[in-house]
Amino acid sequence: MEVIQGKDYSKDLVLTTALPAFLVSDLLKCPNLPSLPSVAINVLKIARTEHPSVSEYANAIERDPALTMRIITLANSAFFSRTHIKVHTCHEAAARLGLDATLAAVMSFSLLQNRAVDTHYQRVWMRSIIASLAARHLAIHLCADMAGPVFTAALLQDIGIIALRATYPIESSHLYAEAALSHRQLSESEQRLFGCDHSQVGAWIAAKWGVPTPLAQRICDSHGEYDIAAPDMVCIQLSGPIADAWLSSNPAQSLVTVIREFETYRGTHTISLRHLLENIQQQLPALADMLQMAAPPLQDNESLLAEAQQLLFRQTLQLNARLEMQQAELALLRQRQDELEERSRTDTLTGLANRAWLEEQMQKRFALCQQQSRILSVVFIDLDHFKKLNDKYGHQMGDQVLEKFGKTLQALIREGDLAGRWGGEEFLIILPDENAKAAHVFAKRIGERLEKIPMGRDGNVPIHVSVSIGIACLNDGGFGSAGELIDAADKSMYFIKRTGRGGIAVYGERGAPITPIDD
């Protein structure tokens, strides 16, 4: 392998082409790496200068008569010639081709020498040739001024495969024999086996030859994620799947992938895929012949595209059906999750909040009130003589009374309030933004409702219950925590218990229950 003036240009690509150390060592030791003759090396040397010219290219190429004739033939081909005027000199040919296409031709002609016997080698190069035609067509529509560099990068994007095969013939023989692998799967397998993929190796090889750094970088990025901000790279990255579809044993199915790839890049919606395939079909035979390769047989692109569209339609329907099923399953899972969360917060007997949820909400609401200087009242309720009720009527009746009382509370609270069962026959109600007076009015309604509505029946005999209620308001005491506020309401409730039950008490400003408020 020759390197210009002994300089290692691969060091110019610092991050994106970094290869594992073992791989670099093995590549450097490999005697069969793709290499370039002196003429190609000289052309690359010129390409790296600040202002390369057509004359310099032509002078370097003319040192090899066979290469000169092939460059002239290429310039006169239907691919590059838009007139009937033939060129006869290398200078005229290079002027018609342009610097980038001339560079690509020199490298491809040089690299294809004496390799025609290798079937896999031919397939790799045929993929690259088809990709370069596709990339050039795309670039003409998306970034016309970059058509030359795009063509060259697409042509060289798979050179790393040849390098890996030469360096690791045993390990890579099985890998590259798996025709069923897509190119993306192939890259993933290379990553597992070599620690990088062939696009990175190809960029390293190209840099070793001394190609311009932007060209080596495009080779490196040729198999990466689409960068919509760089249309030249999108052209190169789309060209590979197009070439894969062209060479596929099931081209219609592979074209579905191409259509989907086109959909990912909004700029390609103006490009006719049918015209692109027709362009490849027209240009490929002549270009392959000049590179001394056998072009794949011609295809009925119209029929292939129609079949691909039908496959895409069926796959889209199947995908939508699976998506709808997954969405239904997800909705069911969310519903079950909501139900589980609701159950974790709910007292199963009364349907009100359970103690754990009450305590959690009290902590949050207490902190919020302190941060925003808002008020909060707590109503603590105990059903009077509940033990006697259980002893007289049984626990089943006691449960019915608790259940009915829970529904009564739920009907009385407003949106934003929270009523829950504290434990046994004790209940707690959180009243945001309510002072003690408003909480007292609410508590009074509870007593009035209990006087009118029985909480149970023993046959035809209604069972009425009374309650002892304690109230504490955040702004009526120096409460340091939610627990202290609840304790204050609890003490007020027990004050009523000790003084006869069936009443309401509000916690006083000095931290002690006061006399019940008169109705």
Side-chain angles (χ1 to χ4, degrees), residues 24-79:
V24 173
S25 176
D26 291 345
L27 287 168
L28 291 173
K29 295 174 186 175
C30 179
N32 300 319
L33 280 184
S35 59
L36 297 173
S38 58
V39 170
I41 291 292
N42 289 332
V43 172
L44 281 173
K45 183 177 179 180
I46 296 167
R48 290 190 67 87
T49 61
E50 188 174 354
H51 299 294
S53 68
V54 168
S55 296
E56 290 175 310
Y57 271 33
N59 291 337
I61 294 168
E62 285 173 344
R63 296 177 184 176
D64 185 333
L67 181 60
T68 299
M69 290 305 300
R70 297 180 81 177
I71 294 295
I72 293 173
T73 303
L74 179 64
N76 287 324
S77 69
F79 184 61

Coordinates of all heavy atoms in Angstrom, one line a residue, residues 24-79:
V24 N -6.3 -1.4 13.7 CA -5.3 -0.6 12.9 C -4.0 -1.4 12.8 O -3.4 -1.4 11.7 CB -5.1 0.8 13.7 CG1 -3.9 1.5 13.1 CG2 -6.3 1.6 13.7
S25 N -3.6 -2.0 13.8 CA -2.4 -2.8 13.8 C -2.5 -3.9 12.7 O -1.6 -4.1 11.9 CB -2.1 -3.4 15.1 OG -1.0 -4.3 15.1
D26 N -3.7 -4.6 12.7 CA -3.8 -5.7 11.7 C -3.9 -5.2 10.3 O -3.4 -5.8 9.3 CB -5.1 -6.5 12.0 CG -4.9 -7.3 13.3 OD1 -3.8 -7.5 13.8 OD2 -6.0 -7.8 13.9
L27 N -4.6 -4.0 10.1 CA -4.7 -3.4 8.8 C -3.3 -3.1 8.2 O -3.0 -3.3 7.0 CB -5.6 -2.2 8.8 CG -7.1 -2.4 9.0 CD1 -7.8 -1.1 9.3 CD2 -7.7 -3.1 7.7
L28 N -2.5 -2.5 9.1 CA -1.2 -2.1 8.7 C -0.3 -3.3 8.3 O 0.6 -3.1 7.5 CB -0.5 -1.3 9.8 CG -1.1 0.1 10.0 CD1 -0.5 0.8 11.3 CD2 -0.9 1.0 8.8
K29 N -0.6 -4.4 8.9 CA 0.2 -5.6 8.6 C -0.3 -6.4 7.4 O 0.4 -7.2 6.8 CB 0.2 -6.6 9.8 CG 0.8 -6.0 11.1 CD 0.6 -7.0 12.2 CE 1.2 -6.4 13.5 NZ 0.8 -7.3 14.7
C30 N -1.5 -6.1 6.9 CA -2.1 -6.8 5.8 C -1.4 -6.5 4.5 O -1.4 -5.3 4.1 CB -3.6 -6.5 5.7 SG -4.4 -7.4 4.4
P31 N -0.9 -7.5 3.8 CA -0.2 -7.2 2.5 C -1.2 -7.0 1.3 O -0.7 -6.6 0.2 CB 0.7 -8.4 2.3 CG -0.1 -9.5 3.0 CD -0.8 -8.9 4.2
N32 N -2.5 -7.3 1.5 CA -3.4 -7.4 0.4 C -4.4 -6.3 0.5 O -5.5 -6.4 -0.1 CB -4.1 -8.7 0.3 CG -3.1 -9.9 0.2 OD1 -2.2 -9.7 -0.6 ND2 -3.3 -10.9 0.9
L33 N -4.2 -5.2 1.2 CA -5.1 -4.1 1.3 C -5.3 -3.5 -0.1 O -4.4 -3.5 -0.9 CB -4.7 -3.0 2.3 CG -4.9 -3.3 3.8 CD1 -4.4 -2.0 4.6 CD2 -6.3 -3.6 4.1
P34 N -6.5 -2.9 -0.3 CA -6.7 -2.2 -1.6 C -5.6 -1.1 -1.7 O -5.4 -0.3 -0.8 CB -8.1 -1.6 -1.5 CG -8.8 -2.5 -0.5 CD -7.7 -2.9 0.5
S35 N -4.9 -1.1 -2.9 CA -3.8 -0.1 -3.0 C -4.0 0.6 -4.4 O -4.8 0.2 -5.2 CB -2.5 -0.8 -2.9 OG -2.4 -1.8 -3.9
L36 N -3.3 1.7 -4.5 CA -3.4 2.5 -5.8 C -2.0 2.5 -6.5 O -1.0 2.6 -5.8 CB -3.8 3.9 -5.4 CG -5.2 4.0 -4.7 CD1 -5.4 5.5 -4.3 CD2 -6.3 3.6 -5.7
P37 N -2.0 2.5 -7.8 CA -0.8 2.7 -8.6 C -0.3 4.2 -8.4 O -1.0 5.0 -7.9 CB -1.2 2.4 -10.0 CG -2.7 2.7 -10.0 CD -3.2 2.4 -8.7
S38 N 0.9 4.4 -8.9 CA 1.5 5.7 -8.7 C 0.8 6.8 -9.4 O 0.7 7.9 -8.9 CB 3.0 5.7 -9.3 OG 3.0 5.3 -10.7
V39 N 0.1 6.5 -10.5 CA -0.7 7.5 -11.2 C -1.8 8.0 -10.3 O -2.0 9.2 -10.2 CB -1.2 7.0 -12.6 CG1 -2.2 8.0 -13.2 CG2 -0.1 6.8 -13.6
A40 N -2.5 7.1 -9.8 CA -3.6 7.4 -8.9 C -3.1 8.2 -7.7 O -3.8 9.2 -7.2 CB -4.4 6.2 -8.4
I41 N -2.0 7.8 -7.1 CA -1.4 8.5 -6.0 C -1.1 9.9 -6.3 O -1.3 10.8 -5.5 CB -0.1 7.7 -5.5 CG1 -0.5 6.4 -4.9 CG2 0.7 8.6 -4.5 CD1 -1.2 6.5 -3.6
N42 N -0.5 10.1 -7.5 CA -0.2 11.5 -8.0 C -1.5 12.4 -8.1 O -1.5 13.5 -7.8 CB 0.6 11.5 -9.2 CG 2.0 10.9 -9.0 OD1 2.6 11.1 -7.9 ND2 2.6 10.3 -10.1
V43 N -2.5 11.7 -8.7 CA -3.8 12.5 -8.8 C -4.3 12.9 -7.4 O -4.8 14.0 -7.2 CB -4.8 11.7 -9.6 CG1 -6.2 12.4 -9.6 CG2 -4.3 11.5 -11.0
L44 N -4.2 12.0 -6.5 CA -4.7 12.3 -5.1 C -3.8 13.4 -4.5 O -4.4 14.2 -3.8 CB -4.6 11.0 -4.2 CG -5.8 10.0 -4.4 CD1 -5.5 8.8 -3.6 CD2 -7.1 10.6 -3.9
K45 N -2.6 13.3 -4.8 CA -1.7 14.4 -4.3 C -2.1 15.7 -4.8 O -2.1 16.7 -4.0 CB -0.2 14.1 -4.7 CG 0.8 15.0 -4.1 CD 2.2 14.6 -4.5 CE 3.2 15.6 -4.0 NZ 4.6 15.2 -4.4
I46 N -2.5 15.8 -6.1 CA -2.9 17.1 -6.6 C -4.3 17.5 -6.0 O -4.5 18.6 -5.7 CB -3.1 16.9 -8.2 CG1 -1.7 16.7 -8.8 CG2 -3.7 18.1 -8.8 CD1 -1.8 16.2 -10.3
A47 N -5.1 16.5 -5.8 CA -6.5 16.8 -5.2 C -6.4 17.4 -3.8 O -7.2 18.1 -3.4 CB -7.3 15.5 -5.1
R48 N -5.3 17.1 -3.1 CA -5.1 17.7 -1.8 C -4.5 19.1 -1.8 O -4.5 19.7 -0.7 CB -4.2 16.8 -0.9 CG -4.8 15.4 -0.6 CD -3.9 14.7 0.4 NE -4.0 15.5 1.7 CZ -4.9 15.3 2.7 NH1 -5.8 14.4 2.5 NH2 -4.8 16.0 3.8
T49 N -4.1 19.6 -3.0 CA -3.6 21.0 -3.0 C -4.8 21.9 -2.9 O -5.9 21.6 -3.1 CB -2.8 21.2 -4.3 OG1 -3.7 21.0 -5.4 CG2 -1.7 20.2 -4.4
E50 N -4.5 23.2 -2.6 CA -5.5 24.2 -2.4 C -6.3 24.5 -3.6 O -7.6 24.6 -3.5 CB -4.9 25.5 -1.9 CG -5.9 26.5 -1.4 CD -5.2 27.7 -0.8 OE1 -4.0 27.7 -0.6 OE2 -5.9 28.7 -0.4
H51 N -5.7 24.5 -4.8 CA -6.4 24.8 -6.0 C -6.0 23.8 -7.1 O -5.3 24.2 -8.1 CB -6.2 26.3 -6.5 CG -6.6 27.3 -5.5 ND1 -7.9 27.5 -5.2 CD2 -5.9 28.1 -4.7 CE1 -8.0 28.5 -4.3 NE2 -6.8 28.9 -4.0
P52 N -6.5 22.6 -7.1 CA -6.2 21.6 -8.2 C -6.8 22.1 -9.5 O -7.8 22.7 -9.5 CB -6.8 20.3 -7.7 CG -7.9 20.7 -6.7 CD -7.4 22.0 -6.1
S53 N -6.2 21.7 -10.6 CA -6.7 22.1 -11.9 C -6.9 20.9 -12.8 O -6.3 19.8 -12.6 CB -5.7 23.1 -12.5 OG -4.5 22.5 -12.9
V54 N -7.7 21.1 -13.8 CA -7.9 20.0 -14.9 C -6.6 19.7 -15.5 O -6.3 18.5 -15.8 CB -8.9 20.5 -15.9 CG1 -9.0 19.6 -17.1 CG2 -10.3 20.6 -15.2
S55 N -5.8 20.7 -15.8 CA -4.5 20.4 -16.5 C -3.6 19.5 -15.7 O -2.9 18.6 -16.2 CB -3.8 21.8 -16.8 OG -4.5 22.5 -17.7
E56 N -3.5 19.8 -14.4 CA -2.7 19.0 -13.5 C -3.2 17.5 -13.4 O -2.4 16.6 -13.5 CB -2.7 19.6 -12.1 CG -1.9 20.9 -12.0 CD -2.0 21.5 -10.6 OE1 -3.2 21.6 -10.1 OE2 -1.0 21.9 -10.0
Y57 N -4.5 17.4 -13.4 CA -5.1 16.0 -13.4 C -4.7 15.3 -14.7 O -4.2 14.2 -14.7 CB -6.6 16.1 -13.3 CG -7.1 16.1 -11.9 CD1 -6.5 16.7 -10.8 CD2 -8.4 15.5 -11.6 CE1 -7.0 16.7 -9.5 CE2 -8.9 15.5 -10.3 CZ -8.2 16.1 -9.3 OH -8.7 16.1 -8.0
A58 N -4.9 16.0 -15.8 CA -4.6 15.4 -17.1 C -3.1 15.0 -17.3 O -2.8 13.9 -17.8 CB -5.0 16.4 -18.2
N59 N -2.3 15.9 -16.9 CA -0.8 15.6 -17.0 C -0.4 14.4 -16.2 O 0.4 13.6 -16.6 CB 0.0 16.8 -16.5 CG -0.1 18.0 -17.4 OD1 -0.4 17.8 -18.6 ND2 0.1 19.2 -16.9
A60 N -1.0 14.2 -15.0 CA -0.7 13.1 -14.2 C -1.3 11.8 -14.8 O -0.6 10.7 -14.8 CB -1.3 13.3 -12.7
I61 N -2.5 11.8 -15.3 CA -3.2 10.7 -15.9 C -2.5 10.2 -17.1 O -2.3 9.0 -17.4 CB -4.7 11.0 -16.1 CG1 -5.4 11.2 -14.8 CG2 -5.3 9.8 -16.9 CD1 -6.8 11.8 -15.0
E62 N -2.0 11.1 -18.0 CA -1.4 10.8 -19.2 C -0.1 10.0 -19.1 O 0.4 9.4 -20.1 CB -1.1 12.1 -20.0 CG -2.3 12.7 -20.6 CD -2.1 14.1 -21.3 OE1 -1.0 14.6 -21.0 OE2 -2.9 14.5 -22.0
R63 N 0.4 9.8 -17.9 CA 1.6 9.0 -17.7 C 1.2 7.5 -17.8 O 2.1 6.6 -17.9 CB 2.2 9.3 -16.3 CG 2.8 10.7 -16.2 CD 3.3 10.9 -14.8 NE 3.8 12.3 -14.7 CZ 4.2 12.9 -13.6 NH1 4.3 12.1 -12.5 NH2 4.6 14.1 -13.5
D64 N -0.1 7.2 -17.8 CA -0.6 5.8 -17.9 C -1.5 5.8 -19.2 O -2.6 6.2 -19.1 CB -1.3 5.4 -16.7 CG -1.8 3.9 -16.7 OD1 -1.9 3.4 -17.8 OD2 -2.0 3.3 -15.6
P65 N -1.0 5.3 -20.3 CA -1.8 5.4 -21.6 C -3.1 4.6 -21.4 O -4.1 5.1 -22.0 CB -0.8 4.7 -22.6 CG 0.6 5.0 -22.0 CD 0.4 4.9 -20.5
A66 N -3.1 3.4 -20.8 CA -4.3 2.6 -20.7 C -5.3 3.4 -19.9 O -6.5 3.4 -20.2 CB -4.0 1.3 -20.0
L67 N -4.9 4.0 -18.8 CA -5.8 4.8 -17.9 C -6.4 6.0 -18.7 O -7.5 6.3 -18.6 CB -5.1 5.2 -16.6 CG -6.0 6.0 -15.6 CD1 -7.2 5.2 -15.2 CD2 -5.2 6.4 -14.4
T68 N -5.5 6.6 -19.5 CA -5.9 7.8 -20.3 C -7.0 7.4 -21.2 O -8.0 8.1 -21.4 CB -4.7 8.3 -21.1 OG1 -3.7 8.7 -20.1 CG2 -5.1 9.5 -21.9
M69 N -6.9 6.2 -21.9 CA -7.9 5.8 -22.9 C -9.2 5.6 -22.2 O -10.3 5.9 -22.7 CB -7.4 4.6 -23.7 CG -6.3 4.9 -24.6 SD -6.7 6.2 -25.8 CE -8.1 5.5 -26.6
R70 N -9.2 5.0 -21.0 CA -10.4 4.7 -20.3 C -11.1 6.0 -19.8 O -12.3 6.1 -19.8 CB -10.1 3.8 -19.1 CG -9.5 2.4 -19.5 CD -9.3 1.5 -18.4 NE -10.5 0.8 -17.9 CZ -10.5 0.0 -16.9 NH1 -9.4 -0.4 -16.3 NH2 -11.6 -0.6 -16.6
I71 N -10.3 7.0 -19.4 CA -10.9 8.2 -19.0 C -11.5 8.9 -20.2 O -12.6 9.5 -20.1 CB -9.8 9.2 -18.4 CG1 -9.3 8.6 -17.1 CG2 -10.3 10.6 -18.1 CD1 -10.3 8.5 -16.0
I72 N -10.9 8.9 -21.4 CA -11.5 9.5 -22.6 C -12.8 8.8 -23.0 O -13.8 9.4 -23.3 CB -10.4 9.5 -23.7 CG1 -9.3 10.4 -23.4 CG2 -11.1 9.9 -25.1 CD1 -8.1 10.3 -24.4
T73 N -12.7 7.4 -22.9 CA -13.9 6.6 -23.2 C -15.1 7.0 -22.3 O -16.2 7.1 -22.7 CB -13.6 5.1 -23.1 OG1 -12.5 4.8 -24.0 CG2 -14.8 4.3 -23.5
L74 N -14.8 7.1 -21.0 CA -15.8 7.5 -20.0 C -16.4 8.8 -20.4 O -17.6 9.0 -20.3 CB -15.2 7.5 -18.6 CG -16.1 7.9 -17.5 CD1 -17.3 6.8 -17.4 CD2 -15.4 8.0 -16.2
A75 N -15.5 9.8 -20.7 CA -16.0 11.2 -21.0 C -16.9 11.2 -22.3 O -17.8 12.0 -22.4 CB -14.8 12.1 -21.2
N76 N -16.7 10.2 -23.2 CA -17.5 10.2 -24.4 C -18.7 9.3 -24.2 O -19.5 9.1 -25.2 CB -16.7 9.6 -25.6 CG -15.7 10.7 -26.1 OD1 -16.0 11.8 -26.1 ND2 -14.5 10.2 -26.5
S77 N -18.9 8.7 -23.0 CA -20.0 7.8 -22.8 C -21.3 8.6 -22.6 O -21.3 9.8 -22.4 CB -19.8 7.0 -21.6 OG -19.9 7.8 -20.4
A78 N -22.4 7.9 -22.8 CA -23.7 8.5 -22.6 C -23.9 9.1 -21.2 O -24.7 10.0 -21.0 CB -24.9 7.5 -22.9
F79 N -23.2 8.6 -20.3 CA -23.3 9.0 -18.9 C -22.9 10.5 -18.7 O -23.5 11.2 -18.0 CB -22.5 8.1 -18.0 CG -22.6 8.4 -16.5 CD1 -23.8 8.3 -15.9 CD2 -21.5 8.8 -15.8 CE1 -24.0 8.6 -14.5 CE2 -21.6 9.1 -14.4 CZ -22.9 9.0 -13.8

